[in-house]
Amino acid sequence: MSGPGRYFNRRLEVWRAVPVPDGAGGEETTETLVGTVRAKVDQPSPTERLITQQSLSRHSHNVYVSPRADVRRGDELRGTDGLGQAQRFRVQAVVQPSRPIYSKALVELTQSEGG
């Protein structure tokens, strides 16, 4: 395999808040599995960490996915790390470089096994 996809060494489930009828004419929101993406999870660079601290952001990791992956702000990405520990990431933003060879999701690690 060529291109950046060869680095996508994890599979993450994409969960999204979806409105559903509540049976009384209104809506409730439920977390729904909308797909699975191949991804690479990294720590932010030192510069990104500094910016995160200065802006009081909740950006703890970068998740790289295909530029066509349906990952949006507010989604939750669920999977396991290399040690088999459960992880959940809340997507803060999704950006692409000028040449869209990947999408980069700026995420916050929100829950791990035992956490």
Side-chain angles (χ1 to χ4, degrees):
M1 181 186 336
S2 64
R6 70 180 175 273
Y7 299 111
F8 299 156
N9 58 0
R10 292 176 61 177
R11 293 200 182 278
L12 298 175
E13 295 177 338
V14 180
W15 290 79
R16 185 169 295 146
V18 176
V20 294
D22 66 4
E27 291 182 335
E28 295 178 348
T29 302
T30 184
E31 292 286 321
T32 303
L33 176 63
V34 295
T36 302
V37 295
R38 291 181 56 223
K40 180 177 187 286
V41 179
D42 275 343
Q43 297 288 321
S45 70
T47 300
E48 288 173 321
R49 288 182 190 169
L50 179 61
I51 292 170
T52 296
Q53 290 171 351
Q54 290 175 342
S55 67
L56 303 177
S57 174
R58 297 174 302 186
H59 171 201
S60 66
H61 290 77
N62 295 324
V63 176
Y64 297 89
V65 296
S66 161
R68 292 184 292 278
D70 186 13
V71 174
R72 305 175 190 173
R73 179 186 165 116
D75 285 352
E76 185 173 86
L77 305 177
R78 300 178 187 176
T80 56
D81 65 12
L83 301 174
Q85 299 293 310
Q87 291 184 312
R88 293 182 180 203
F89 301 96
R90 179 64 60 186
V91 178
Q92 305 298 317
V94 180
V95 296
Q96 286 186 338
S98 57
R99 185 170 158 236
I101 56 174
Y102 61 83
S103 289
K104 178 178 168 181
L106 311 177
V107 302
E108 174 189 19
L109 179 63
T110 58
Q111 181 179 358
S112 61
E113 191 172 298

